[in-house]
């Protein structure tokens, strides 16, 4: 465990050193649980988002994408239940005044005791959470003598609910100002546009609406780097189905989404399902796809069968009819029917996905060379199709016409994928830097290139090198990036 924690700290430092992730407003000592993506990170994030978008809106002919605003009418959050229900049970330590999410406090304690006792404790906690038994949760904390990490005391307040939504004011004149919320999930932007999309896109059930975008939650225990943030990005898809068919589609998406994670290079054994014991206020079935992060198994994506809750609530609060007229029911010999569609949702956090890919990719390697000396490197084995930079083009020397040949190759390749040109430093040093940022291919242009138009290509993962015609570089990289 100690090694894994150290390794996680190394990953965080590496992300900063190589332009992947920076603490937000670092110049002013940072803002807790808010992060900025640097030049490499922004591109990796975009590649992940693009792959997800393609898998939803291009591969599935019956899924379309939208881009709804972050600000929404305040009644949206009343209708969705977030004003009344989007809260977590919290407890404060009276000596340190530190506030904890009850489940996080108990989970962190469970990790410090032996596995059987820890599992039993989590099980008991889940039962109490499912019943909203706050007094029982406090007793559980007291009986286990769980202490505050700061004050080291067990002097706790009662367990209370705490709403996670951020609010702000809209309007330029104070008296006219109205309280609005920063969306805590992107899903509601899809629900309120259900009729717009269904009608303008002539969509027939079953069909889906996908979107990616920022969501905001005032997380109390924000920790583990970009795993739990106050501002983060979601990639969500709402799949609208006939009432009664939701479990069929729930199972379809459960399977399809896990396969997608595998398709971007996450090993099967690092993924598992976790069925929810306590269902959210809108769900009749729910599960998490969990990933084994360096700090344990945690939720990566949620699959929820949301029934007709959201559309019905928006119909009720807006006093508008939100229904679907199902022509096909007649063709099947059933009576014509208007109904409120049921929804199966897939919701993955882009930042968590980013952390997943980075945790898998980061490796520290050591080996003994042929001459008996030790060597080492830090390498990010990001799958080629996701890597921010695909190819580094490196003239061996800054003279003899080698930069000119390299520039020509750069000109040809950069139209097709991200390339990096570098002529400074010894070639070994340049290779190591490309390993550290995760560039899967390096080509070196040397004097032989001038004679026979071949280059040396070096493969990041194996460090092997071979000579290939320069004319084949582009195709080789493109083929690898297709996956
Ligand atoms: N619309 C359903 C919904 O929002 P959720 O399980 O609360 O469901 C979905 O969130 C996904 O969003 C999670 O699986 C996780 O990947 C991501 N997520 C949620 N809260 C997050 C946070 N504070 N920081 C980073 N990602 C978060």
């Amino acid at each position: 465990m100690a090694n894994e924690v150290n390794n996680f700290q190394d990953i965080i430092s590496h992300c900063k050193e190589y332009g992947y992730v920076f603490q937000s407003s670092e110049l002013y000592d940072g803002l807790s649980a808010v992060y900025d993506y640097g030049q490499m990170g922004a591109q990796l994030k975009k590649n992940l988002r693009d792959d997800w978008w393609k898998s939803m809106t291009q591969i599935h002919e019956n899924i379309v994408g939208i881009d709804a605003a972050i600000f929404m009418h305040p009644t949206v959050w009343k209708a969705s239940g977030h004003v009344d229900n989007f809260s977590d049970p919290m407890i404060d330590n009276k000596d340190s005044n530190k506030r904890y999410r009850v489940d996080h406090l108990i989970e962190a304690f469970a990790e410090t005791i032996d596995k059987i006792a820890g599992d039993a404790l989590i099980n008991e906690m889940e039962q109490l959470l499912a019943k909203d038994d706050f007094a029982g949760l406090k007793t559980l904390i007291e009986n286990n003598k769980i202490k505050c990490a700061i004050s080291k005391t067990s002097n706790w307040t009662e367990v209370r609910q705490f709403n996670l939504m951020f609010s702000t004011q809209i309007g330029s004149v104070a008296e006219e100002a109205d309280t609005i919320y920063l969306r805590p999930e992107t899903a509601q932007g899809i629900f309120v546009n259900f009729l717009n999309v269904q009608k303008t896109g002539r969509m027939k059930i079953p069909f889906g609406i996908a979107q990616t975008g920022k969501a905001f939650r005032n997380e109390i225990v924000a920790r583990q780097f970009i795993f739990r943030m106050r501002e983060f990005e979601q990639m969500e898809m709402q799949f609208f189905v006939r009432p009664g068919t939701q479990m069929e589609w729930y199972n379809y998406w459960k399977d399809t989404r896990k396969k997608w994670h595998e398709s971007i290079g996450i090993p099967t054994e690092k993924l598992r399902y976790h069925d929810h014991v306590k269902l959210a206020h809108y769900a009749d079935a729910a599960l998490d796809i969990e990933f084994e992060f360096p700090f344990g198994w945690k939720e990566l994506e949620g699959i929820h069968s949301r029934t007709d809750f959201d559309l019905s609530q928006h119909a009720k609060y807006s006093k508008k009819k939100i229904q679907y007229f199902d022509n096909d029911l007649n063709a099947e010999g059933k009576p014509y029917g208007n109904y409120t569609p049921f929804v199966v949702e897939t919701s993955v956090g882009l930042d968590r996905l980013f952390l997943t890919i980075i945790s898998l990719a980061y490796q520290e390697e050591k080996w003994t060379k042929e001459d008996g000396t030790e060597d080492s490197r830090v390498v990010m084995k990001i799958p080629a199709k996701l890597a921010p930079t695909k190819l580094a083009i490196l003239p061996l020397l800054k003279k003899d016409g080698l930069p000119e040949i390299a520039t020509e190759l750069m000109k040809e390749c950069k139209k097709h994928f991200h390339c990096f040109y570098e002529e400074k430093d010894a070639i070994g040093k340049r290779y190591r830097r490309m390993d550290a940022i995760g560039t899967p291919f390096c080509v070196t242009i040397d004097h032989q290139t001038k004679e026979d138009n071949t280059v040396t290509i070096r493969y990041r993962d194996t460090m092997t090198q071979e000579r290939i015609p320069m004319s084949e570089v582009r195709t080789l990289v493109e083929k690898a990036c297709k996956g």
Side-chain angles (χ1 to χ4, degrees):
M1 188 65 187
N3 274 341
E4 285 171 0
V5 173
N6 288 341
N7 178 250
F8 188 50
Q9 285 311 320
D10 293 340
I11 294 173
I12 298 172
S13 310
H14 191 84
C15 279
K16 183 179 171 199
E17 196 179 339
Y18 288 94
Y20 275 89
V21 184
F22 308 124
Q23 174 77 58
S24 161
S25 320
E26 196 191 341
L27 205 55
Y28 295 95
D29 296 334
L31 185 64
S32 165
V34 187
Y35 291 89
D36 297 338
Y37 287 85
Q39 66 281 13
M40 302 310 294
Q43 187 61 45
L44 171 57
K45 210 173 158 199
K46 181 179 183 307
N47 294 347
L48 283 165
R49 193 192 294 112
D50 287 350
D51 200 289
W52 180 89
W53 186 258
K54 183 177 171 191
S55 78
M56 287 292 176
T57 66
Q58 188 174 325
I59 303 299
H60 288 90
E61 291 160 41
N62 57 352
I63 299 181
V64 290
I66 65 163
D67 183 12
I70 287 172
F71 291 144
M72 300 182 77
H73 193 284
T75 313
V76 167
W77 305 110
K78 192 77 198 146
S80 67
H82 283 81
V83 170
D84 297 325
N85 294 314
F86 194 57
S87 47
D88 281 325
M90 303 283 179
I91 193 164
D92 293 3
N93 183 271
K94 289 184 196 164
D95 298 321
S96 66
N97 289 327
K98 174 126 179 84
R99 180 167 290 164
Y100 293 88
R101 240 176 84 169
V102 166
D103 57 338
H104 290 169
L105 181 70
I106 299 175
E107 273 168 17
F109 175 76
E111 279 170 19
T112 65
I113 57 181
D114 87 83
K115 181 146 172 32
I116 296 172
D119 287 350
L121 180 62
I122 298 291
N123 195 23
E124 199 175 341
M125 175 191 79
E126 285 186 340
Q127 311 284 337
L128 293 167
L129 282 171
K131 290 187 283 182
D132 283 334
D133 183 348
F134 296 160
L137 285 164
K138 185 170 181 203
T139 310
L140 191 67
I141 290 169
E142 285 172 343
N143 288 351
N144 282 278
K145 300 191 174 53
I146 300 179
K147 293 190 171 57
C148 164
I150 294 167
S151 68
K152 315 278 183 231
T153 69
S154 302
N155 191 9
W156 298 107
T157 61
E158 296 307 307
V159 173
R160 283 166 298 152
Q161 292 283 51
F162 184 89
N163 197 295
L164 298 181
M165 283 197 293
F166 283 103
S167 62
T168 186
Q169 306 286 300
I170 199 163
S172 52
V173 184
E175 300 89 73
E176 287 170 16
D178 210 349
T179 298
I180 57 165
Y181 298 100
L182 272 71
R183 65 181 179 199
E185 62 171 11
T186 58
Q188 297 304 322
I190 292 179
F191 291 123
V192 298
N193 277 299
F194 166 76
L195 283 181
N196 285 338
V197 175
Q198 191 271 314
K199 292 206 156 84
T200 57
R202 297 153 62 95
M203 307 301 291
K204 284 180 73 174
I205 272 179
F207 74 92
I209 305 178
Q211 84 164 320
T212 69
K214 288 280 176 115
F216 304 83
R217 295 181 190 179
N218 196 1
E219 299 283 3
I220 291 302
V221 184
R223 53 179 186 173
Q224 287 153 341
F225 192 37
I226 54 172
F227 178 80
R228 196 175 302 287
M229 301 156 89
R230 297 203 162 103
E231 174 182 338
F232 57 100
E233 191 166 336
Q234 288 186 315
M235 305 195 290
E236 299 201 296
M237 194 278 300
Q238 317 299 130
F239 201 69
F240 299 94
V241 304
R242 271 187 199 169
T245 63
Q246 69 270 26
M247 285 320 290
E248 191 186 304
W249 287 109
Y250 177 75
N251 288 324
Y252 170 83
W253 284 110
K254 172 180 169 180
D255 187 44
T256 304
R257 292 300 304 143
K258 186 159 172 280
K259 284 195 180 125
W260 180 78
H261 288 293
E262 288 161 4
S263 79
I264 58 164
I266 307 176
T268 315
E269 65 277 10
K270 288 269 186 187
L271 293 166
R272 72 177 187 195
Y273 295 119
H274 170 76
D275 290 315
H276 285 202
V277 178
K278 179 176 174 163
L279 293 175
H281 59 273
Y282 48 73
D284 70 355
L287 63 87
D288 298 335
I289 298 178
E290 293 188 336
F291 171 72
E292 192 179 16
F293 287 96
F295 41 84
W297 287 96
K298 300 276 177 205
E299 173 184 352
L300 170 61
E301 170 154 5
I303 314 283
H304 311 125
S305 172
R306 285 179 85 128
T307 67
D308 60 355
F309 175 83
D310 300 87
L311 292 183
S312 299
Q313 285 292 100
H314 288 306
K316 185 172 144 198
Y317 278 77
S318 66
K319 301 193 177 55
K320 310 236 165 70
K321 192 173 156 196
I322 308 181
Q323 288 208 316
Y324 176 77
F325 177 68
D326 200 330
N327 251 325
D328 293 344
L329 279 176
N330 191 44
E332 288 170 24
K334 296 172 190 140
Y336 271 101
N338 279 312
Y339 57 77
T340 308
F342 271 44
V343 172
V344 175
E345 162 186 80
T346 72
S347 174
V348 59
L350 179 49
D351 311 271
R352 276 191 200 176
L353 193 60
F354 183 102
L355 184 56
T356 301
I357 297 299
I358 291 284
S359 323
L360 286 168
Y362 179 90
Q363 288 174 31
E364 293 170 14
E365 293 180 346
K366 282 197 174 86
W367 66 94
T368 310
K369 292 195 290 189
E370 272 173 20
D371 64 6
T373 57
E374 299 293 312
D375 208 347
S376 68
R377 67 168 181 165
V378 172
V379 54
M380 294 262 270
K381 293 186 174 171
I382 303 173
K385 79 165 168 173
L386 298 175
T389 301
K390 314 293 186 199
L391 173 70
I393 300 175
L394 315 170
L396 188 65
L397 299 173
K398 263 197 270 182
K399 55 182 186 182
D400 301 340
L402 303 184
E404 285 75 9
I405 302 173
T407 309
E408 273 309 304
L409 182 62
M410 180 81 184
K411 254 195 224 156
E412 187 206 332
C413 291
K414 75 178 179 188
K415 289 182 272 179
H416 304 278
F417 44 79
H418 276 267
C419 304
F420 186 85
Y421 180 87
E422 174 88 282
E423 46 183 44
K424 215 172 124 250
D425 292 328
I427 195 71
K429 212 168 168 188
R430 282 184 267 170
Y431 284 155
R432 283 292 186 279
R433 189 172 157 74
M434 287 303 118
D435 287 345
I437 65 172
T439 307
F441 305 101
C442 292
V443 291
T444 305
I445 282 85
D446 56 19
H447 292 96
Q448 195 183 326
T449 313
K450 287 169 71 174
E451 286 159 26
D452 61 8
N453 275 324
T454 64
V455 292
T456 301
I457 186 156
R458 175 186 182 270
Y459 301 96
R460 175 198 64 195
D461 294 356
T462 55
M463 291 191 283
T464 51
Q465 303 185 9
E466 63 176 330
R467 207 101 206 152
I468 61 165
M470 194 160 65
S471 57
E472 286 176 14
V473 171
R474 186 186 128 196
T475 328
L476 185 147
V477 174
E478 279 181 329
K479 216 169 143 196
C481 292
K482 280 210 176 95

